[in-house]
Amino acid sequence: MGKKGDLSNFERGMVVGARRAGLSISQSAQLLGFSRTTISRVYKEWCEKGKTSSMRQSCGRKCLVDARGQRRMGRLIQADRRATLTEITTRYNRGMQQSICEATTRTTLRRMGYNSRRPHRVPLISTTNRKKRLQFARAHQNWTVEDWKNVAWSDESRFLLRHSDGRVRIWRKQNENMDPSCLVTTVQAGGGGVMVWGMFSWHTLGPLVPIGHRLNATAYLSIVSDHVHPFMTTMYPSSDGYFQQDNAPCHKARIISNWFLEHDNEFTVLKWSPQSPDLNPTEHLWDVVERELRALDVHPTNLHQLQDAILSIWANISKECFQHLVESMPRRIKAVLKAKGGQTQY
């Protein structure tokens, strides 16, 4: 019979009950599924000490970091989240009668639920913009999913032909640092990239427009007139649609503002809060495109192939995907309210 952990108090009581009922050691072992040695030991302990509770949990080496020590270590973590294992151990040992090693620190932290992870990257939000984000969230906290269905979302993104993945790790010996199999080649500016502008709403996925060079006010005006206008008038013929754009300089140019004023009877430009990529579900669509690019069996080798791959991936994004993102807007607004305008998990 295979080795198993110590019996629970209930299981030990069953052993005692079986033996007191007149069953032999072999019969008790067969009935309960324990070894004959276990049956004999548990019943002997009950006969001699009159108890069925196990004392084995008190055996073994005493933990060097008790509950008080864990609270001390927790305060050290809260005071400096970026502290290394060596720094935590050194700070913990100051003023302590019994010092601990880094291995003990690591074991204790894991027991407490702490793990070393990369920090989540979020935009730096100034105090002024934090207030504006909070104002935006309060103004739209009563919007339902039906309200957000009337919003057409837009954004720009750049995809590199070759991207550096800082998460890559290799196994090598100390003198193998320049071995070709242990190197990761890089190119300047990622070997070039493709910039695209896209839009979508709950109803449908909109156009994805490649941008030749850089996006200035003139180029953006062409996108607005050639793509935004027909999309909005087609999807929202009752003029109840909202067009969302961020606060990029080219979006706020005078020629752009004048164009929107001329067409304000057809749709409304949603007044957007600054530094709020977490409120724009298009950001998540860019993540979908990026993941699909990395998952390609044959990676693009030039910018033309990269552009074709991006357009193909965009066209095949499922309706369930972007509709689910729009349906998350009430939760995003609540998250901003809870964070008082600060960063959220989105």
Side-chain angles (χ1 to χ4, degrees), residues 168-188:
V168 172
R169 286 181 169 86
I170 59 171
W171 293 98
R172 68 172 178 85
K173 297 179 180 179
Q174 185 175 2
N175 61 345
E176 294 179 331
N177 58 313
M178 293 306 296
D179 188 286
S181 62
C182 299
L183 301 178
V184 176
T185 58
T186 61
V187 291
Q188 188 174 8

Side-chain angles (χ1 to χ4, degrees), residues 58-71:
S58 62
C59 301
R61 182 181 178 183
K62 184 178 179 181
C63 184
L64 294 177
V65 183
D66 55 12
R68 184 178 179 182
Q70 289 187 12
R71 291 194 296 271

Side-chain angles (χ1 to χ4, degrees), residues 303-324:
L303 296 182
H304 180 72
Q305 293 179 359
L306 177 61
Q307 178 176 305
D308 289 344
I310 294 171
L311 294 173
S312 176
I313 293 172
W314 177 270
N316 287 284
I317 294 177
S318 67
K319 193 172 185 179
E320 292 79 7
C321 176
F322 60 79
Q323 286 186 346
H324 175 72

Side-chain angles (χ1 to χ4, degrees), residues 160-214:
L160 297 178
L161 183 62
R162 301 186 65 179
H163 44 76
S164 175
D165 192 344
R167 296 171 293 180
V168 172
R169 286 181 169 86
I170 59 171
W171 293 98
R172 68 172 178 85
K173 297 179 180 179
Q174 185 175 2
N175 61 345
E176 294 179 331
N177 58 313
M178 293 306 296
D179 188 286
S181 62
C182 299
L183 301 178
V184 176
T185 58
T186 61
V187 291
Q188 188 174 8
V194 174
M195 188 174 184
V196 294
W197 174 94
M199 71 179 299
F200 80 101
S201 71
W202 187 89
H203 305 283
T204 185
L205 201 62
L208 187 70
V209 182
I211 300 171
H213 300 285
R214 66 185 184 90

Side-chain angles (χ1 to χ4, degrees), residues 285-300:
L285 291 186
W286 299 142
D287 291 340
V288 171
V289 175
E290 183 68 35
R291 288 196 300 269
E292 292 297 325
L293 282 174
R294 291 175 182 242
L296 290 175
D297 294 331
V298 180
H299 294 276

Side-chain angles (χ1 to χ4, degrees), residues 89-102:
T89 305
T90 302
R91 294 169 186 173
Y92 179 87
N93 288 333
R94 290 174 184 167
M96 299 294 289
Q97 293 182 349
Q98 186 174 18
S99 62
I100 62 175
C101 63
E102 293 183 13

